Amino acid sequence: MNIPDSSLTRIVIIGAGFGGLKLARYLNKKDNQVVLIDKNNYHTFQPLLYQVATAGLEPDSIAHAIRTLFKNEKNFHFRIADVETIDTAKNTIHTNIGDLSFDKLIVATGSTTNFYGNEEIERNAMSMKTIPEALDLRSLILQNLEKALLTDDLKERKELMNFVIVGGGPTGVELAGALGELKNHVLHNDYPDLDIRIMNVHLVQSGDRLLPGFSDKASAKAEKYLRDMDVHLWLNTRVLNYDGQFVDTNVKDLYANTLIWAAGVKGDLIYGFPKDAIVDNRLKVNQFNQVEGFEHIFAIGDVACMVSEEYPHGHPMVAQPAIQQGLRLAKNLNNLSRSKPMKEFKYSDKGAMATIGRNKAVADLGKYSFSGWFAWMIWIFVHLVSLVGFRNKMVALVNWVTQYFSYNKSVRLIIRPYHGKAKEQPVMKDVEPES
Ligand SMILES: Cc1cc2nc3c(=O)[nH]c(=O)nc-3n(C[C@H](O)[C@H](O)[C@H](O)COP(=O)(O)OP(=O)(O)OC[C@H]3O[C@@H](n4cnc5c(N)ncnc54)[C@H](O)[C@@H]3O)c2cc1C
């Protein structure tokens, strides 16, 4: 991998997501050689993927080139690589571009879509975890409308214009709202010769309310907003199968060419850890983020499961635990290199937010629950502050201000047509732990 030999402690970080990036930025690079590895040369701001998928933002404004964040930093190295296995006995990682030894390793690989073992759904559903997937979805939505315009078969047209979203968490709710806005305010201008009233957005949720984890007030408000936008809500409904056309549920049969799976994630594990170190598809860590059984291997963010009395199933798989763990671990590793003790991680819950559309958002902040314009402004402010890079903040702001006045989601482009999932694409890449 062409990393220079050094007498410093080599700290290897796998993943430049919210957690890995925070850690890499705050690690002391005088005492340590820091190597950051990611599959991509950019950081993805996942909370706004749905806006890319629904033509609200261009992909560049939610991605940030990793190298630009570490310009001229000494003892820092970045490599684009896919880490395939970890040899915990030899302290070495194996990647598609070569092997690398480490003194300390941090796994910050985030999570991947969880299809709960249903290979047929995995083969036929769209997921939205990466920028290429969001772009595929954008293309598919627009391609379907173009096809609907050409067919004389009403059943086929309806199926092309039916969009089923599975999962009533923040991702599903935000996506349903954005598709509802496209239908109600944008598409009739683009397709005057297509009856856009035929288009239907269905949101399927297995529980009895949307936004589990949010307050009752926020979830009731989100439900009202979506119903007002003509989104069909199917609560207490489970999708059992999907063959690319027929959506089999326990309540209502639906037919749709597009099903978007937003019903769960699981830790993006790498081969090489013993069984004891894995719990619920995540790496089991202690309060210092050390992986069970290892003093020098750590995990942070979505892939890490830190069980405590308050969080018996680990922290929620959202950005804040990853960011806070990244920062705490940076301080702890800096302490260690100066022979100072580490401090336990304590999560500070900053609340939860979801936006459904223009002036329509819900926000639970501490014991207060907001909705409407004020919550929407909070949502915009928080996302602008959190986006990485000044240019991205400005582009997003300009887009949102323009859309506020014109309702126009201007990135309705099929740059790279979507032709379905590649046949040879492996499904169900699950990590078999070592026994
Ligand atoms: C559509 C969507 C919407 C979301 N909305 C919100 C929201 O509104 N609010 C919120 O707080 N959270 C939201 N989240 C969740 C949030 O994005 C995650 O919790 C957060 O990204 C986790 O951070 P992380 O550092 O653990 O991992 P990530 O940010 O996922 O980063 C993991 C990194 O590891 C890299 N990687 C993975 N495997 C390998 C490998 N083998 N080799 C090399 N590199 C690898 C990946 O390329 C990636 O860059 C959303 C997630 C999605 C998908």
Side-chain angles (χ1 to χ4, degrees):
M1 291 177 74
N2 226 359
I3 304 289
D5 286 336
S6 162
S7 56
L8 302 175
T9 302
R10 179 179 288 163
I11 301 182
V12 174
I13 305 167
I14 312 172
F18 284 101
L21 212 51
K22 191 63 141 189
L23 169 67
R25 291 175 87 170
Y26 283 85
L27 266 179
N28 173 348
K29 294 162 198 105
K30 277 196 190 122
D31 303 328
N32 304 299
Q33 181 191 56
V34 177
V35 182
L36 178 61
I37 296 174
D38 200 288
K39 287 178 196 172
N40 303 305
N41 80 333
Y42 56 85
H43 164 79
T44 304
F45 191 82
Q46 294 174 22
L48 291 176
L49 278 172
Y50 83 96
Q51 295 222 355
V52 173
T54 53
L57 284 176
E58 47 275 85
D60 316 32
S61 55
I62 68 157
H64 197 90
I66 294 161
R67 287 190 182 280
T68 63
L69 298 167
F70 298 92
K71 273 189 230 159
N72 299 325
E73 286 207 38
K74 276 199 177 148
N75 299 321
F76 173 83
H77 307 272
F78 172 70
R79 293 291 181 270
I80 304 174
D82 190 343
V83 180
E84 289 158 352
T85 54
I86 298 170
D87 187 334
T88 54
K90 293 190 179 146
N91 290 341
T92 301
I93 58 168
H94 303 290
T95 83
N96 62 333
I97 59 163
D99 299 346
L100 184 69
S101 62
F102 59 82
D103 297 309
K104 291 190 169 60
L105 176 72
I106 293 89
V107 184
T109 47
S111 55
T112 179
T113 307
N114 192 352
F115 293 93
Y116 305 101
N118 190 319
E119 290 191 23
E120 190 160 20
I121 294 182
E122 177 168 13
R123 205 171 292 115
N124 294 302
M126 302 297 287
S127 42
M128 203 181 54
K129 241 342 230 157
T130 62
I131 288 178
E133 284 178 347
L135 283 176
D136 283 344
L137 187 51
R138 184 178 83 183
S139 294
L140 182 65
I141 293 166
L142 298 171
Q143 284 168 226
N144 280 354
L145 294 170
E146 297 294 335
K147 279 189 195 162
L149 197 59
L150 299 180
T151 180
D152 292 327
D153 182 336
L154 185 61
K155 182 175 172 289
E156 188 189 355
R157 187 180 300 153
K158 280 184 175 168
E159 286 174 19
L160 284 162
M161 295 174 73
N162 259 356
F163 297 92
V164 176
I165 300 159
V166 190
T171 301
V173 164
E174 294 190 325
L175 194 56
L179 280 173
E181 277 200 332
L182 266 182
K183 176 189 169 180
N184 298 334
H185 300 287
V186 180
L187 295 177
H188 58 272
N189 291 325
D190 280 12
Y191 298 91
D193 34 5
L194 183 66
D195 184 357
I196 291 297
R197 287 171 304 174
I198 296 177
M199 175 173 165
N200 281 307
V201 181
H202 299 271
L203 179 58
V204 183
Q205 159 72 338
S206 58
D208 59 0
R209 67 177 183 108
L210 298 176
L211 299 178
F214 282 58
S215 63
D216 289 347
K217 195 176 155 196
S219 100
K221 201 74 194 179
E223 194 176 320
K224 182 182 178 321
Y225 284 146
L226 286 173
R227 289 195 197 279
D228 289 350
M229 292 166 90
D230 216 12
V231 171
H232 304 275
L233 298 183
W234 300 99
L235 300 177
N236 296 309
T237 306
R238 244 169 218 289
V239 170
L240 306 171
N241 214 352
Y242 176 59
D243 63 5
Q245 187 184 25
F246 171 52
V247 189
D248 185 10
T249 83
N250 59 335
V251 172
K252 158 105 180 148
D253 293 343
L254 296 165
Y255 291 86
N257 266 43
T258 313
L259 180 138
I260 304 148
W261 189 258
V265 290
K266 59 181 178 183
D268 199 350
L269 295 170
I270 298 178
Y271 293 88
F273 285 99
K275 249 186 191 141
D276 293 352
I278 298 174
V279 56
D280 287 344
N281 275 306
R282 297 165 91 183
L283 290 171
K284 192 173 173 188
V285 297
N286 65 13
Q287 307 303 312
F288 304 106
N289 285 95
Q290 286 162 312
V291 175
E292 171 98 0
F294 302 94
E295 268 195 11
H296 61 307
I297 301 181
F298 303 77
I300 55 174
D302 279 3
V303 76
C305 183
M306 186 187 287
V307 173
S308 62
E309 220 171 278
E310 207 179 339
Y311 297 97
H313 304 290
H315 296 102
M317 291 161 89
V318 291
Q320 274 303 321
I323 293 170
Q324 293 177 30
Q325 286 179 358
L327 186 59
R328 180 69 261 158
L329 184 56
K331 289 180 181 170
N332 278 345
L333 293 177
N334 292 343
N335 279 357
L336 278 187
S337 58
R338 285 165 192 181
S339 306
K340 289 186 186 164
M342 298 196 286
K343 276 192 190 159
E344 289 192 355
F345 173 74
K346 289 266 175 312
Y347 178 48
S348 152
D349 187 354
K350 298 203 183 316
M353 276 180 284
T355 188
I356 294 94
R358 181 178 181 269
N359 289 341
K360 296 185 183 80
V362 292
D364 283 341
L365 304 175
K367 49 187 182 189
Y368 301 103
S369 182
F370 306 98
S371 60
W373 179 84
F374 186 59
W376 191 62
M377 291 314 282
I378 300 176
W379 182 92
I380 287 190
F381 175 76
V382 168
H383 282 76
L384 280 179
V385 169
S386 314
L387 264 171
V388 182
F390 181 71
R391 181 192 167 278
N392 289 357
K393 293 180 205 289
M394 286 300 112
V395 173
L397 180 63
V398 169
N399 266 283
W400 289 337
V401 170
T402 315
Q403 283 167 33
Y404 185 80
F405 292 108
S406 68
Y407 267 116
N408 195 12
K409 292 178 188 285
S410 54
V411 210
R412 300 189 294 281
L413 307 169
I414 306 171
I415 301 276
R416 190 189 58 180
Y418 179 65
H419 299 296
K421 289 188 183 170
K423 287 270 182 310
E424 66 278 9
Q425 184 172 318
V427 291
M428 313 304 298
K429 184 200 152 209
D430 260 331
V431 175
E432 278 297 318
E434 290 185 347
S435 46

